[in-house]
Amino acid sequence: MTSTSPLPGLARFNALEESAARAALHEACASTTWAGHLLAARPYATAEDLYATSDAAMVHLTAADLDEAMAGHPPIGRPRPGDPASAREQRGMAGASETLRAQMLELNLAYQERFGHVFLICATGRTGEQMRDAVRERLGNPPEREREIVRAELGKINRIRLARLVGDDRDDREGRPTP
């Protein structure tokens, strides 16, 4: 008997035509270089292999690659309309007071002025207050330190998004899919 049911997530991802796989990866992370690393390593035997390849690719992203990736992220408190991923990830701001929203807007602008890019944090599981406190704290970082924090936060976000892509959405709040 032949099954017409869709392939499980990882098998489906492995079987995608390159252009479709590239588009799916672009939804997870806007870095062309990162996506190229992940495409080159297909097929993946396990989801953990996919996550490990993502982590390794993150280490090699240049400043320009990180800028490209960050350009794909909306500011905290302002998810893109019609983008369920950013709305889900920023759920901690959904019920935020007007005061907290105003604080985040002001802090986002100050951060962008200081570092030249959007404030990036793995917002999954964080409250609006936690995100506000994080941006306040990180505003004092030297640019080099902040760039490495951004790299780590982006890696967490990528893991969560990859887990959803392959149907392994049992992620924890640190961006690592649970075994």
Side-chain angles (χ1 to χ4, degrees):
M1 177 169 151
T2 347
S3 171
T4 58
S5 64
L7 292 169
L10 184 61
R12 184 182 64 248
F13 174 71
N14 283 334
L16 287 174
E17 301 256 344
E18 184 169 336
S19 62
R22 185 177 303 282
L25 290 171
H26 189 265
E27 290 295 314
C29 179
S31 168
T32 304
T33 300
W34 175 84
H37 282 280
L38 273 67
L39 286 171
R42 282 192 318 159
Y44 293 96
T46 67
E48 194 53 49
D49 292 341
L50 174 64
Y51 308 142
T53 301
S54 174
D55 293 345
M58 287 303 303
V59 172
H60 300 291
L61 294 185
T62 65
D65 295 330
L66 285 172
D67 288 342
E68 181 183 33
M70 286 185 289
H73 290 269
I76 296 294
R78 295 182 296 171
R80 283 194 184 95
D83 180 359
S86 66
R88 180 179 48 248
E89 292 164 356
Q90 294 190 29
R91 191 178 358 225
M93 287 296 295
S97 68
E98 286 306 312
T99 301
L100 180 55
R101 287 183 183 282
Q103 289 172 336
M104 281 305 296
L105 177 59
E106 182 180 317
L107 289 164
N108 277 327
L109 292 172
Y111 182 94
Q112 190 153 0
E113 185 174 313
R114 172 150 166 67
F115 295 109
H117 56 79
V118 69
F119 171 68
L120 190 71
I121 188 169
C122 182
T124 301
R126 293 182 189 258
T127 66
E129 290 82 3
Q130 289 171 322
M131 289 183 269
R132 178 204 56 211
D133 295 347
V135 70
R136 280 182 177 160
E137 180 181 321
R138 287 173 50 190
L139 271 166
N141 286 337
E144 305 77 28
R145 170 76 178 124
E146 188 56 25
R147 193 60 113 169
E148 290 312 307
I149 292 171
V150 164
R151 185 184 303 274
E153 293 297 311
L154 183 60
K156 293 175 192 177
I157 294 166
N158 289 354
R159 272 185 167 248
I160 289 169
R161 290 179 175 186
L162 287 171
R164 285 197 178 94
L165 174 66
V166 299
D168 180 18
D169 59 1
R170 301 163 293 141
D171 55 83
D172 70 13
R173 296 187 180 196
E174 291 299 312
R176 292 182 300 269
T178 56

